Amino acid sequence: MNEQPHRPRDHQDSDPSGPASAQDGADALRAETARRLERSMGRLGTAAVASMEERLPWFRRMSAEDRSWIGLVAQSGVAAFVDWFRNPVRGRPAITVEVFGTAPRELTRSVTLQQTVDMIRVVIDVVEGQVDELAAPGGAMQLREDVLRYTREVAFSSAKVYARAAEARGAWDARLEALIVDALLHGDHQDGLQTWGSSLRWTQTPVIAIAGDSGEEDGNKVLDDLRGAARRAGHDVIAGMQGDRVVVVVGVGDTYPEGELPAAAAEPLAGLFGPGPVVVGPAVPDLRASGASARAAVSGLRSAVAWPDAPRPVLAEDLLPERVLQGEAGARRQLVEEVYKPLLGAGSPLLDTLSVYLEHASSLEATARMLFVHPNTVRYRLSRIAELTGHTPSDGRGSFVLRIAVALGRLDATERG
């Protein structure tokens, strides 16, 4: 019997049930499932939106426009999954662009990250609920596993979208805050302040401004610390840098009793500024009027060096004499209006008593002798002066303020005469 020569088995003679055939079978299953998914995309997107309507109360409360955008996001998510499922070997799906690229950037302000997670969960539940119907015979496990992979990728992509939106929003807010602070200090764009404030979600009134130096600290860190502390206290806040100077505008609400507002609101924030004085502008009714408070605070900061023992923080109104010496016309008018004119209106005895008292080294007896009155009369008149002006003549600081105010008032009277 003739022996057949030995011939090695060719690759084509391999077992048809081997790995290559198994892969071919899996690819065929995938292709058939992909065709079924493609035919069902519209139905799946519609079912997902209907399920959101039923399961998500926040979705029902949204505007029709935002619901429409979310519907498009859901449809895009299904379409992107089908495209990726058809050819998964191309690597990680570009979900950020394919799914979220259809929606406007403003949608991330209407829908929170948690709500997005809820939305994704609903869409995936809709697809998973129909896996057996959507998959080709024998392909249910393959489809289910890929749905889980895709769910994870969408979750990661959602977090990236919101993180980037938050980063961009933070950078935009910082630029807008700097623009607002600059406008307040220069008295520009007053008509646009309310609109700008609305874009920063500003709601609190009244408003105060605080000015101080950053010192050797990083200015951005000082701004971040001030914003964080103000927001934790429940305030609205805008902060900006001008060189080494930090200006913070704070909407404080009705937290503080009338009369205590500026100093009480600024006290917890003062320690976050760098070394040196911290000056608080007067309370104003709203953001539109806050320029006056900001300018007073900055003017007071420039002048505070003339009062080394000033408290920290110090009210800009307590620095009126120093601001006058710096040449601020508004401070001069305010000092005359609030101190000199009340004394003038109360009659000459008070003004005469104050002038003599200040000229005679705050001596009751010397003042009484010069005016030919009893020392108790001098005491009474001095107490009336303190009531009318808020400044005590016998106090060192009070006598300084009163002396400057009286001198300015007399100068104004001479100039007008």
Side-chain angles (χ1 to χ4, degrees), residues 161-317:
V161 167
Y162 278 83
R164 288 171 184 166
E167 183 179 0
R169 174 74 186 183
W172 164 249
D173 285 356
R175 289 193 295 271
L176 182 56
E177 288 182 30
L179 178 64
I180 292 175
V181 167
D182 186 68
L184 291 175
L185 293 177
H186 291 89
D188 300 332
H189 306 295
Q190 297 297 308
D191 292 337
L193 285 177
Q194 292 299 113
T195 302
W196 291 347
S198 297
S199 70
L200 293 171
R201 300 175 293 279
W202 187 285
T203 60
Q204 300 276 26
T205 57
V207 179
I208 63 170
I210 311 169
D213 289 329
S214 62
E216 296 181 358
E217 287 280 349
D218 174 42
N220 290 325
K221 181 181 184 304
V222 172
L223 292 179
D224 289 342
D225 290 346
L226 285 165
R227 290 187 187 106
R231 286 168 182 152
R232 285 192 297 273
H235 305 325
D236 289 335
V237 60
I238 291 171
M241 291 282 299
Q242 294 205 324
D244 292 333
R245 186 172 61 209
V246 179
V247 180
V248 182
V249 181
V250 183
V252 297
D254 55 1
T255 309
Y256 303 95
E258 189 174 354
E260 298 180 16
L261 168 58
E267 185 74 36
L269 304 178
L272 300 175
F273 288 85
V278 174
V279 183
V280 189
V284 294
D286 53 36
L287 184 61
R288 185 185 178 89
S290 61
S293 182
R295 290 189 292 274
V298 170
S299 174
L301 184 64
R302 287 196 298 262
S303 307
V305 65
W307 185 13
D309 296 328
R312 190 177 192 265
V314 59
L315 299 180
E317 294 183 341

Side-chain angles (χ1 to χ4, degrees), residues 139-157:
M141 181 62 70
Q142 180 188 63
L143 177 58
R144 189 170 284 109
E145 289 177 354
D146 280 2
V147 166
L148 292 176
R149 282 183 59 197
Y150 194 78
T151 303
R152 182 184 63 187
E153 297 296 346
V154 171
F156 286 143
S157 293

